Amino acid sequence: MTALDSLYQQVILDHAKARHGDRALPDADAEHFERNPTCGDEITVRVRLEPGSDRIAEVAWQGDGCSISMASASVLTDMAVGRTVPELLALTEEFRTMMRSRGSGEPDEDVLEDLVAFHGVSKFVMRVKCGMLAWVAAEAAAREATAV
Amino acid sequence: MAPNQPLTESEVEAIRRDFPILQQEVNGFPLAYLDSGATSQRPRQVLDAERRFLEHDNAAVHRGAHTLAALSTDAFEEARATVAGFIGAAAPAEVVWTANATDALNLVAYGIANASRGRGGAAAERFRIGPGDEVLVTEAEHHANLVPWQELAALTGATLRWVPVADDGTWTAEDAVALVTDRTKVVAFAHVSNVTGMIAPVSAVVAAAHAHGALVVLDACQSAPHRPLDVQALGVDFAAFSGHKMLGPNGIGVLWGRRELLDALPPFRTGGSMITTVTMEHSEFMPAPERFEAGTQPVSQAVALGEAVRYLQGIGMERVRAHEEHLARLMLDGLAAIPGVRTVGPAAGVPRSGLVSFDVDGVHAHDVSQYLDAQGIAVRSGHHCAQPLHRRLGLVATSRASTYVHTTEQDVDRFLTAVGEIRAYFGATA
């Protein structure tokens, strides 16, 4: 596989086109806006919890950015729904660790599922923020949704 | 060779041998460096000049009586004279060393702000602005020639106005002149746009501005390195540019200003080396350029910038311009033939500089530059420090290929071939 193909895994290219969760969420419990000032990528992630619970019922986002950031937001939507907020925060930490690995180690597919496709991104330091953008926004929105 | 002809293939090959950084492969391909608009590479003559200075002459300038102090002061001032000659300044004292163009533009904006607070005495009254006065820029400006004027307006109560751009990102002399009135005190714009490559109608704007008593500040970052620049012929009042975009080092830039203006403008940075008499209560400032050069100066960088200027003069700026305009036409024609690629900037046939910004439908600019990088082709992606312009163009980001003296037709061919592959790779052709 070329270096470029290891960055743009098919899973990433597919998610970048499919953009799961790219829509409004009027009854969200919380939302958070993140922007990468160096490249202009931006995203607002919205989270709705199941009533009286910290379990995530729905995630949606609206934003504009490169294929890495849009694919990451799409995977976030698939993976966040059904998890509790603490579970999402733990998953985000796992993802962050992998994204900071600079391509080292072997990511745990049982935990990270489709996110393992982003392991190649971690070798491209300039693109790590793209991969994390939606997750950083989701982290903040999820915390706010559960704040009493 | 006629002075206005593009460089020949063998001339470009000889130039390329002067650039150590071009003698390498990046990601398994020979480096095609198409990002000189962001920062240029340095020929060994410039690298050697800085090293030679540091190994033989280095000392603090304009102080001390020892031999090296004299040698370094001579080299520092000789570089100033070289730059002054390069841009057609009336005297070397019209060339102020700054850290870069951003610093130079801030120097003017904050100098005016200080004058507006009464600093600089009667001589500085001509710079005073306040509520009811206007500062005019364009919607196409680099943030470096926009944000300092926003700050000046906020500090003084003046109003910032701007010349709107058309759908292609360009603006006309008529658009600008229509906004120049007796309220206008400063008109600031880029000689060459760093996004569109548009060449500003300088003389028409200068005529209107001066007819209304306004000062003209020219951002020459993308012109001084790439085409002949004659500040007196243009008639502007101030001009700013950066060394690192013209084969020179980082950390050195230039503010040129008409002598009587520089001598009257209050300094924005004060301290050592810029004073005549200091008491505990009060200080008298030196005339230009020293009044703006407080503190230890970037001496080896200035010396190296002087060498960069000599290198460009050795080629001839008319030929640099002809070479880059030729390459820009190749890029524009080639990009126009690729489905789904939109270029921004002046219409076909309108003169422009050697840089082309473009959008690939369905593919983000970062993915475009990443794809090109995998083939050793370096282009810029992002908003190029011009967010308002991109917002007006309806684009978050563009990719930009920019040429210089070492750019070959083969670089352009490789670039065009790779751009032609991008939409298929990202599945954007469906």
Side-chain angles (χ1 to χ4, degrees), chain B residues 60-410:
Chain B
V61 297
H62 291 303
R63 66 198 82 179
H66 58 77
T67 302
L68 296 191
L71 287 172
S72 60
T73 301
D74 283 350
F76 187 64
E77 293 305 323
E78 189 197 322
R80 194 192 306 273
T82 301
V83 170
F86 182 66
I87 61 171
E94 293 188 337
V95 169
V96 177
W97 298 123
T98 63
N100 46 46
T102 298
D103 188 41
L105 292 163
N106 275 280
L107 191 163
V108 179
Y110 281 88
I112 294 172
N114 285 347
S116 305
R117 293 184 191 113
R119 300 298 298 161
E125 278 301 310
R126 63 192 299 172
F127 297 110
R128 183 186 284 276
I129 69 170
D133 293 332
E134 294 177 356
V135 176
L136 181 64
V137 297
T138 84
E139 203 178 3
E141 294 314 304
H142 187 287
H143 297 161
N145 197 32
L146 168 59
V147 183
W149 304 117
Q150 290 176 340
E151 289 298 304
L152 175 63
L155 287 169
T156 59
T159 302
L160 182 76
R161 303 197 69 185
W162 54 91
V163 181
V165 300
D167 290 346
D168 61 2
T170 65
W171 54 276
T172 65
E174 295 74 50
D175 297 335
V177 168
L179 291 171
V180 179
T181 69
D182 284 343
R183 294 182 208 276
T184 311
K185 299 300 176 198
V186 179
V187 183
F189 58 95
H191 191 187
V192 170
S193 163
N194 71 311
V195 177
T196 66
M198 172 192 151
I199 299 156
V202 179
S203 53
V205 179
V206 166
H210 285 174
H212 290 278
L215 294 167
V216 177
V217 182
L218 192 71
D219 169 2
C221 281
Q222 298 292 345
S223 58
H226 300 287
R227 51 183 50 239
L229 176 67
D230 185 331
V231 289
Q232 289 193 85
L234 288 172
V236 297
D237 298 298
F238 295 99
F241 50 95
S242 290
H244 74 97
K245 290 188 197 289
M246 51 192 295
L247 311 180
N250 287 104
I252 186 78
V254 170
L255 172 70
W256 169 83
R258 288 198 286 118
R259 181 72 183 266
E260 70 274 19
L261 293 174
L262 287 177
D263 283 343
L265 186 70
F268 137 67
R269 197 183 287 108
T270 54
S273 308
M274 51 79 70
I275 43 73
T276 51
T277 307
V278 177
T279 66
M280 288 314 294
E281 295 80 22
H282 179 74
S283 299
E284 296 289 338
F285 305 139
M286 292 179 77
E290 284 81 10
R291 74 200 268 108
F292 301 109
E293 295 178 355
T296 307
Q297 292 296 297
V299 183
S300 69
Q301 291 92 324
V303 170
L305 177 56
E307 188 62 31
V309 164
R310 276 190 289 276
Y311 188 90
L312 288 168
Q313 288 171 324
I315 299 170
M317 291 309 291
E318 284 288 359
R319 300 205 62 203
V320 173
R321 165 166 68 178
H323 178 64
E324 295 196 58
E325 287 184 351
H326 166 66
L327 294 171
R329 275 192 296 277
L330 293 181
M331 289 200 291
L332 282 168
D333 292 348
L335 290 171
I338 301 172
V341 172
R342 166 193 171 193
T343 58
V344 302
V350 178
R352 60 186 288 159
S353 75
L355 63 85
V356 179
S357 299
F358 60 100
D359 175 58
V360 179
D361 185 35
V363 185
H364 191 275
H366 275 201
D367 297 320
V368 170
S369 68
Q370 192 87 56
Y371 186 87
L372 298 177
D373 180 60
Q375 298 186 21
I377 303 164
V379 302
R380 173 80 185 268
S381 63
H383 49 60
H384 317 307
C385 297
Q387 286 182 15
L389 176 60
H390 278 80
R391 210 167 285 125
R392 174 65 181 79
L393 294 169
L395 299 166
V396 172
T398 53
S399 304
R400 180 186 70 191
S402 51
T403 61
Y404 214 173
V405 290
H406 49 66
T407 309
T408 62
E409 290 189 13
Q410 193 192 4

